[in-house]
Amino acid sequence: GNTEVGVDAKFRKMKFPTLVFTKGVDELSRISVEEPSASGTGGVTVGGAVTLSNLKAALESEINGARPSHQSRTLQAVLEMLKWFASTQIRNTATLAGNIVTASPISDTCHILVAIGATADLA
C-alpha cells in the first residue's frame, strides 16, 4: 500500500517506475454484506480501494443494526483491531488490500483476518 511505498520512496530513496491508483475504480470502492444463511454464515466483501475509515464505518453500521451478537463477533473483532491501527489520517487513505499486498511481516490487518477465517478473492 501507499503507506509503505511512501516510506520506501521518501526514506529509502526507492524508485517505482509504475504506480497504480485504484481510488477512481468504483467497483473497488464498494463494501457489501452478505446476510447470514440458516447455517449462520455470512460475509463482508471489501473492495481493494475501500479505506480503513470507510470499512470501520460500515462495520459499525452493521453492528449497530439489528444483528444478534453471535452474528457480529467477527465484525467487532475487526473493529477492535482498527481502533489501534495507526492514526485517523492514515486510516483515511490506507486500505485492507494495500496492507495485505505489502506483505509486511508486521502487517496490522493480516493477523485478525487469519483469526476470523477470512478469504481473499483476487480479480
Side-chain angles (χ1 to χ4, degrees):
N2 187 52
T3 53
E4 192 72 25
V5 169
V7 169
D8 287 343
K10 183 175 182 177
F11 296 109
R12 296 185 183 124
K13 306 299 182 209
M14 295 177 72
K15 302 289 183 200
F16 299 94
T18 304
L19 295 174
V20 178
F21 182 68
T22 59
K23 186 68 176 169
V25 181
D26 186 50
E27 293 83 359
L28 295 177
S29 296
R30 294 183 186 152
I31 300 171
S32 63
V33 178
E34 180 183 321
E35 291 302 316
S37 64
S39 66
T41 61
V44 178
T45 300
V46 180
V50 171
T51 66
L52 295 179
S53 291
N54 288 343
L55 175 60
K56 180 178 179 284
L59 294 179
E60 287 171 339
S61 176
E62 281 299 313
I63 289 171
N64 293 332
R67 194 174 295 279
S69 65
H70 73 277
Q71 292 178 352
S72 63
R73 281 188 207 123
T74 55
L75 304 180
Q76 187 62 48
V78 174
L79 270 178
E80 183 64 24
M81 180 277 306
L82 288 174
K83 182 173 26 174
W84 299 103
F85 185 102
S87 65
T88 302
Q89 182 179 3
I90 296 296
R91 287 192 304 266
N92 284 343
T93 59
T95 65
L96 193 59
N99 197 252
I100 293 168
V101 301
T102 300
S104 171
I106 58 169
S107 168
D108 296 299
T109 60
C110 292
H111 302 93
I112 189 69
L113 296 175
V114 169
I116 66 173
T119 60
D121 294 324
L122 306 176

